[in-house]
């Protein structure tokens, strides 16, 4: 899907530059190769779509929080840079270690740490790519098989279930985003009561996308 993703990102960049220049300015320059490689650090192969995105933009710099320029995704999700993705993946590893420590005496047959999901929401091959104001995460799934590359939503405070699939891939996520921006259509994420629609706020170089 990487070739398709690059076409979508070309169009997305062009649309933001023309219509929402403050959002376009908030997109970071490409990530350094060593920072991309450090996300998984040879623990597992990164999905090509994630690599392609980071080689285009190393996340965003949203200087006004979850409701200002740079928040191009709906529901206030801010896209992480490679360092933030690495930190998120390591945090899940730590959560697994803590869960195993707390539960191994009760369950001596715990599944292999690199193969199973622990508790309700932890896996070492999940890479959080964006966070909303509640702590909810968008995650690229790096488990083997058909799940490889899926974009999941979950991990917000108070969750009692694991993340759910929202998109088949980052390519599909950015394609849906591009369609919503160019055609003014809505997007609805699981866990949110209502769909949201993009609207332009501000003018000239200060224009940015606000989801309402």
């Amino acid at each position: 899907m990487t070739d398709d993703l690059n076409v979508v990102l070309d169009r997305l960049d062009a649309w933001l530059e023309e219509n929402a220049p403050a959002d376009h300015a908030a997109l970071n320059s490409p990530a350094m190769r060593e920072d991309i490689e450090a996300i998984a650090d040879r623990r597992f192969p990164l999905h090509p779509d994630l690599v392609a995105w980071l080689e285009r933009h190393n996340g965003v710099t949203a200087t006004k929080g979850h409701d200002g320029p740079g928040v191009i995704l709906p529901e206030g999700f801010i896209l992480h840079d490679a360092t933030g993705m690495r930190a998120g993946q390591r945090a899940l590893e730590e959560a697994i270690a803590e869960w195993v420590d707390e539960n191994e005496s009760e369950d001596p047959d715990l599944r292999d740490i690199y193969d199973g999901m622990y508790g309700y929401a932890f896996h070492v091959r999940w890479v959080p790519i964006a966070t909303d104001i509640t702590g909810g995460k968008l995650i690229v799934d790096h488990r083997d098989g058909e799940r490889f590359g899926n974009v999941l939503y979950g991990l917000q405070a108070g969750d009692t279930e694991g993340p759910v699939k929202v998109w088949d891939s980052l390519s599909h996520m950015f394609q849906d985003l591009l369609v919503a921006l160019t055609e003014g259509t809505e997007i609805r994420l699981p866990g949110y009561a209502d769909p949201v629609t993009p609207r332009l706020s501000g003018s000239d170089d200060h224009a940015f996308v606000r989801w309402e």
Side-chain angles (χ1 to χ4, degrees):
M1 295 296 292
T2 302
D3 290 341
D4 291 339
L5 176 57
N6 282 319
V7 172
V8 170
L9 294 179
D10 283 341
R11 294 178 60 196
L12 179 62
D13 279 356
W15 189 91
L16 291 173
E17 185 175 19
E18 180 177 354
N19 298 279
D23 283 325
H24 187 264
L27 295 168
N28 293 332
S29 56
M32 298 178 64
R33 169 57 56 176
E34 54 264 37
D35 290 337
I36 297 174
E37 293 176 348
I39 295 172
D41 195 22
R42 296 182 296 279
R43 289 163 165 79
F44 51 86
L46 286 179
H47 193 278
D49 281 359
L50 183 58
V51 175
W53 162 246
L54 290 171
E55 287 178 340
R56 175 70 62 102
H57 295 299
N58 189 22
V60 301
T61 300
T63 58
K64 296 184 179 180
H66 293 266
D67 192 32
V71 188
I72 60 174
L73 294 178
E75 304 297 0
F77 276 99
I78 295 177
L79 287 155
H80 298 313
D81 61 11
T83 300
M85 293 182 193
R86 180 185 185 277
Q89 189 277 332
R90 300 302 189 276
L92 292 180
E93 284 193 352
E94 292 172 4
I96 290 172
E98 292 176 4
W99 191 89
V100 170
D101 287 344
E102 292 172 359
N103 291 275
E104 62 182 349
S105 61
E106 300 175 10
D107 183 0
D109 298 318
L110 290 174
R111 291 171 292 176
D112 183 85
I113 193 168
Y114 283 94
D115 197 36
M117 186 171 78
Y118 287 83
Y120 57 84
F122 311 125
H123 199 283
V124 294
R125 292 195 178 196
W126 286 346
V127 178
I129 62 166
T131 302
D132 69 9
I133 197 169
T134 70
K137 304 287 192 299
L138 290 177
I139 302 156
V140 175
D141 196 340
H142 285 80
R143 289 176 291 178
D144 294 332
E146 293 182 357
R147 301 170 297 190
F148 185 57
N150 288 173
V151 179
L152 315 177
Y153 165 75
L155 300 190
Q156 70 268 42
D159 257 351
T160 56
E161 298 180 358
V164 296
K165 186 175 82 168
V166 186
W167 289 283
D168 290 337
S169 65
L170 275 179
S171 292
H172 289 148
M173 183 187 85
F174 282 113
Q175 176 64 43
D176 279 359
L177 174 62
L178 180 63
V179 169
L181 293 176
T182 57
E183 300 182 10
T185 53
E186 62 187 26
I187 291 180
R188 183 185 182 278
L189 294 180
Y192 290 88
D194 300 307
V196 288
T197 303
R199 302 280 187 263
L200 288 175
S201 180
S203 59
D204 299 327
D205 290 345
H206 301 290
F208 67 97
V209 174
R210 187 188 298 275
W211 294 86
E212 301 174 348

